[in-house]
Amino acid sequence: MKERLDELLKDRGMRPSQLAQAAGLGTSTVDDILKGKTNELNIGVDKMLKIASVLGVSVELLYGRKEPSSLHIPPEPRERQLLDRFRSLNDEGKEKALDYLDDLVDTGKYKKRDPVGMAQEA
């Protein structure tokens, strides 16, 4: 698990202390996993769920039952920036942000274009 967690942290540009804080865990818990002192069998399901939730992956992936590349495509820097900003909003702000994104997509002006120049469906 330590290799998988280290890889996921690097993919997301997160420090172990940031993961610990976001998951409501002690920094030593995450550090112990990364040092191999604690493994997925003795960390506890509740902590595994918190870590998986913060990283946006399944617990199954953390347990190493599937390869990360088959389940997870690391976000582009702009996607990461968007997600970080979205997570900093309260519920009302999140709703407004989603409404604004819907408006941008609905206008068609900002949709991705395929090589022929046709707007791609979302």
Side-chain angles (χ1 to χ4, degrees):
M1 179 179 160
K2 66 181 185 174
E3 293 85 12
R4 175 103 359 119
L5 182 58
D6 188 49
E7 178 183 331
L8 290 166
L9 288 172
K10 286 178 184 173
D11 283 349
R12 285 154 179 77
M14 288 182 85
R15 293 186 311 271
S17 60
Q18 291 173 310
L19 172 61
Q21 182 179 14
L25 303 172
T27 305
S28 61
T29 300
V30 176
D31 287 342
D32 286 351
I33 296 169
L34 292 170
K35 291 176 184 173
K37 293 180 180 179
T38 301
N39 65 35
E40 63 273 7
L41 298 176
N42 59 17
I43 189 174
V45 174
D46 61 327
K47 292 178 183 175
M48 289 292 286
L49 287 168
K50 290 176 183 179
I51 290 170
S53 176
V54 169
L55 295 173
V57 297
S58 67
V59 173
E60 184 177 53
L61 186 137
L62 286 176
Y63 275 103
R65 296 210 172 109
K66 293 192 178 184
E67 291 299 314
S69 59
S70 67
L71 293 177
H72 173 71
I73 299 170
E76 297 174 17
R78 291 183 299 174
E79 291 171 323
R80 183 80 232 160
Q81 185 180 30
L82 182 65
L83 184 57
D84 289 342
R85 289 180 178 169
F86 183 81
R87 287 180 175 166
S88 72
L89 298 171
N90 63 23
D91 288 341
E92 184 180 1
K94 288 177 181 179
E95 286 301 316
K96 286 187 178 275
L98 291 172
D99 289 344
Y100 184 64
L101 286 171
D102 287 340
D103 289 345
L104 289 173
V105 171
D106 290 344
T107 66
K109 179 179 178 181
Y110 301 103
K111 277 190 179 182
K112 282 186 176 181
R113 305 275 176 201
D114 68 15
V116 183
M118 300 294 292
Q120 294 179 354
E121 290 297 317

